[in-house]
Amino acid sequence: MISAPSDSKLAEALRAGDGAAIAQLFDLYGGHVERVLIRTIGRDAEMEDMVQDVFLGAYRSGPNYQGDDAQLKAWISRIAVFTARGYLRKRKRRWWLRSADPAQMPELSSKEPSPHTAEVLRRTHAALDLMDADLRIPFALREFEAMELAEIAEACDCSVSTIKRRLARARKTFDRLAKKDPILRDWLGDES
């Protein structure tokens, strides 16, 4: 695993518009960005394009980056969240073109999930699709990516108290949606 440099050489290279800096940023945080996108959006045929959009956004805004190397993960997470939010809004406008193909669901391990687990994942993402992006994104980052409140707040570019309110609303919304689905209702009952 590649570790982040302790000084601000990468941040300085990003501010200078160095293309190699974006490649290094990708090496450091490409997997993290993909996980954030999968957790907030679900696996999608456009995932590779979205990851590229995040790093293209980082390249374009690199000259304006004010932080140091230690803050790069939060910065790239924020770009990923804004990319996800834009994609969710675009996807909502073209919902009739989507397919609910179970093969598009994220695989969280190298083992093949059981049919029941795959169906729970499919229905979980179907419920998430019904949630507003401002609720869905923090909920997914907290529940699926296990990010801390401060990290989520920074990624979403809002205060911790706002994230707490959104998470409470998101949990209530998700629970309401899950209770309407017999498989999710049973699964959530098993989890508690």
Side-chain angles (χ1 to χ4, degrees), residues 172-182 184-185 188:
K172 189 182 278 187
T173 301
F174 182 79
D175 288 348
R176 180 179 46 79
L177 293 169
K179 286 178 184 174
K180 293 179 181 179
D181 184 296
L184 286 180
R185 184 176 54 238
L188 288 174

Side-chain angles (χ1 to χ4, degrees), residues 41-45 87 91 94-106 115 118-130 136 181:
I41 294 173
R43 182 136 333 254
D44 191 277
Y87 179 79
R91 186 166 79 176
R94 58 184 183 144
W95 63 270
W96 62 89
L97 298 174
R98 279 187 299 154
S99 161
D101 182 5
Q104 299 283 327
M105 297 308 298
E119 183 63 14
V120 167
L121 284 172
R122 188 189 71 72
R123 290 176 185 232
T124 297
H125 279 283
L128 291 174
D129 282 344
L130 298 173
R136 176 188 178 141
D181 184 296

Side-chain angles (χ1 to χ4, degrees), residues 69-109:
D69 285 6
Q71 298 164 315
L72 284 171
K73 185 176 182 182
W75 179 65
I76 200 72
S77 295
R78 187 176 317 122
I79 296 170
V81 164
F82 282 109
T83 300
R85 183 178 287 127
Y87 179 79
L88 286 171
R89 287 182 180 138
K90 181 173 83 171
R91 186 166 79 176
K92 201 170 223 176
R93 287 191 301 265
R94 58 184 183 144
W95 63 270
W96 62 89
L97 298 174
R98 279 187 299 154
S99 161
D101 182 5
Q104 299 283 327
M105 297 308 298
E107 291 186 28
L108 302 178
S109 68

Side-chain angles (χ1 to χ4, degrees), residues 124-145:
T124 297
H125 279 283
L128 291 174
D129 282 344
L130 298 173
M131 294 172 65
D132 181 70
D134 286 337
L135 298 180
R136 176 188 178 141
I137 290 171
F139 181 78
L141 293 176
R142 181 70 170 178
E143 298 297 324
F144 305 138
E145 197 59 23

Side-chain angles (χ1 to χ4, degrees), residues 25-40:
L25 189 69
F26 180 83
D27 289 343
L28 288 170
Y29 301 115
H32 170 73
V33 165
E34 185 173 7
R35 283 190 309 277
V36 166
L37 293 171
I38 288 171
R39 301 297 193 239
T40 56

